[in-house]
Amino acid sequence: MTDVTADKTKRNVPVLAGQSIVSQVAWTLGSPSVVLPFLAVSFELPMFVAGALVSVRMIGSMISDFFLAQPIAAKSQKKRAIALTEAVIGACLVLAMVAAATGDVPLIAVVFVAVFFMIGLVDEVQNLMLTDLLGDHVHSRSRMVMRYLQLGGGGLCAIGLALLVHQITKENPPFSRHSTMIGVSVAFFMLSGVLMLAMTENTRSAEPVKKTGTKPKLSFTANARSILGMFEYTWFRRYMVMRIPLVAVSLSVPFFALIAAEAHHGSARGLTAMIVSSASGYLVSGPLWQVVNMKSHRAVMVVGTLMVAATGGVLLAFHYMGIDHDVHLHAIALFVVTVAVTGISSVRKLYFLDVAPKEQRVQGSAAIKSFTRLLAVLLSAALAAVAHMHEVALAVAFIVAASLMACVTCYLTMSPDREDSPRPQS
């Protein structure tokens, strides 16, 4: 039985690696953090709405975390559901561009809000299922190698496709250029779903829920009690101390994209520059952080948060001196924060899989995300209001300060060396 499981693992690693690269291309070309906020500004949506889309997406994710974590944990077969989520996300992007084709700003605003909500909801369902699927089918070191291969390969392919689409459509009107880019993204979401179906899933990848006389209900009180109960575990409390300050850091990419969109949404090169810079960030982050992370999780977190703070500080200095009108400056800034945030995001996920016991993995992930996303919703809404009433630069200034605080917290709470020890049981 052990040999059979090992054979399945060996077959699944290349399949899942290929699927993750294709999915990375899809997410890069249709990124809700970079591309869609840029398009929202180019379609003349108010800055508050464009900024608040981040909050709307997180609200959808929170609902998945809060109500769907236990059903997902109980589901023994997940690959078909993951493939379906890829198709749904692609459909959401198509709906957004159909609305944009009407040119009706109120309609575009309503549809973009609905699309961001659905993307947040479905994406988090996918993340919860992938967390459990990869934890059951791929070993720790293979997970890490796959993650960085995904970033490198996906980033390289996205750069090539973005430049190709730009060359083909550069003489076309803005909407034609934008819709073509989104269309390519949708095609890759569909291909990613097909590749997910090619993996071999174990008969049982989760413990079945004990049968009772009645079906479990989606109870707000019960779910809240379950999430709060996670604080009884030492590993969970320690992880939360490290995780909460990183919320503001995670908002750096969409708000850096907004300040770029504010300056360059009318440029024919603007969207392509943002996609290429973010894709280049994924490409560079793979080999860069893999080398660092083989030695230390903490080093990645400390260096990444410092990169966000330093880049934001330089961008603010150029902004207030009035010399930030070159699209290349914003492209470089987005590149650096993409590298940093990608490293931070990858490591905190890998760190979580290393410290979370199997029986608490999905529920722990959902609890952590519920708390952090609630904070992120409130924070991103506040920053969107600041950007609308004043300027996006003030939101960036807050992110710089929060990044410095996160750097200190990660340094104090995380072990200096990467450990491959068995997961704790409490």
Side-chain angles (χ1 to χ4, degrees):
M1 183 65 69
T2 302
D3 292 338
V4 172
T5 302
D7 289 341
K8 286 183 178 180
T9 299
K10 290 180 180 179
R11 288 196 300 270
N12 282 332
V13 168
V15 172
L16 290 172
Q19 182 273 333
S20 67
I21 290 173
V22 171
S23 182
Q24 184 69 44
V25 173
W27 279 108
T28 303
L29 298 180
S31 170
S33 297
V34 176
V35 176
L36 294 185
F38 190 98
L39 295 182
V41 174
S42 69
F43 294 144
E44 300 182 350
L45 297 187
M47 183 57 71
F48 176 75
V49 174
L53 291 174
V54 180
S55 301
V56 172
R57 181 187 176 193
M58 291 180 180
I59 290 172
S61 298
M62 285 174 55
I63 291 175
S64 294
D65 289 332
F66 198 82
F67 290 110
L68 302 179
Q70 290 181 343
I72 288 171
K75 187 176 178 62
S76 61
Q77 300 291 301
K78 297 180 174 68
K79 71 174 186 180
R80 290 182 178 84
I82 293 173
L84 179 61
T85 60
E86 296 280 71
V88 172
I89 293 169
C92 287
L93 294 179
V94 171
L95 178 61
M97 297 314 294
V98 169
T102 68
D104 187 337
V105 174
L107 175 62
I108 296 172
V110 171
V111 172
F112 263 60
V113 168
V115 162
F116 266 72
F117 176 80
M118 281 301 301
I119 288 177
L121 185 78
V122 175
D123 179 37
E124 189 54 28
V125 168
Q126 182 186 101
N127 285 336
L128 290 171
M129 289 189 290
L130 275 173
T131 296
D132 215 27
L133 187 78
L134 295 179
D136 286 329
H137 292 80
V138 183
H139 299 304
S140 176
R141 186 167 293 272
S142 296
R143 286 195 298 265
M144 185 176 66
V145 172
M146 278 179 52
R147 174 58 179 166
Y148 292 122
L149 181 63
Q150 171 189 3
L151 296 173
L156 185 61
C157 291
I159 291 171
L161 285 168
L163 292 175
L164 177 62
V165 172
H166 174 72
Q167 284 298 117
I168 294 173
T169 64
K170 63 182 179 180
E171 303 299 332
N172 295 353
F175 179 76
S176 175
R177 298 196 305 268
H178 299 160
S179 59
T180 302
M181 195 74 74
I182 295 297
V184 176
S185 173
V186 170
F188 272 80
F189 272 117
M190 299 304 173
L191 178 58
S192 174
V194 172
L195 290 176
M196 176 56 69
L197 294 175
M199 76 161 288
T200 303
E201 192 170 11
N202 293 339
T203 305
R204 291 172 62 179
S205 60
E207 292 296 325
V209 176
K210 293 181 180 179
K211 293 184 178 180
T212 58
T214 59
K215 294 182 178 180
K217 297 180 179 180
L218 296 178
S219 168
F220 181 91
T221 303
N223 281 284
R225 188 180 300 114
S226 176
I227 289 173
L228 290 173
M230 292 301 301
F231 279 96
E232 297 177 4
Y233 303 101
T234 302
W235 73 267
F236 183 84
R237 294 195 300 270
R238 186 174 182 83
Y239 187 91
M240 285 296 292
V241 169
M242 178 274 297
R243 179 68 180 89
I244 288 177
L246 295 173
V247 170
V249 180
S250 68
L251 297 175
S252 60
V253 172
F255 279 93
F256 276 50
L258 279 179
I259 198 172
E262 188 178 46
H264 306 294
H265 66 269
S267 169
R269 298 180 300 163
L271 180 59
T272 300
M274 295 303 104
I275 292 176
V276 170
S277 63
S278 61
S280 299
Y282 294 135
L283 176 62
V284 171
S285 66
L288 171 66
W289 295 128
Q290 183 174 6
V291 171
V292 179
N293 194 30
M294 291 295 288
K295 299 292 183 181
S296 170
H297 285 320
R298 187 174 74 173
V300 177
M301 304 296 267
V302 170
V303 174
T305 50
L306 284 176
M307 287 172 64
V308 173
T311 305
V314 171
L315 189 60
L316 288 173
F318 277 67
H319 174 78
Y320 286 114
M321 287 189 294
I323 54 176
D324 65 334
H325 303 301
D326 190 339
V327 68
H328 296 96
L329 173 65
H330 290 281
I332 292 170
L334 187 60
F335 164 76
V336 176
V337 295
T338 299
V339 172
V341 172
T342 301
I344 292 168
S345 176
S346 298
V347 167
R348 65 176 173 78
K349 291 175 183 177
L350 294 168
Y351 182 59
F352 172 81
L353 289 172
D354 285 343
V355 301
K358 157 62 183 172
E359 63 275 9
Q360 297 163 6
R361 189 188 297 147
V362 172
Q363 190 61 31
S365 176
I368 290 166
K369 290 175 180 177
S370 294
F371 281 108
T372 56
R373 283 211 170 94
L374 178 60
L375 177 58
V377 166
L378 299 175
L379 182 57
S380 59
L383 293 179
V386 169
H388 181 76
M389 293 185 293
H390 301 284
E391 57 179 347
V392 185
L394 292 179
V396 173
F398 177 85
I399 292 171
V400 169
S403 298
L404 292 173
M405 182 183 300
C407 176
V408 174
T409 304
C410 291
Y411 182 81
L412 295 177
T413 59
M414 296 182 70
S415 170
D417 299 317
R418 185 177 179 276
E419 297 180 0
D420 288 317
S421 56
R423 294 188 179 96
Q425 296 303 310
S426 63

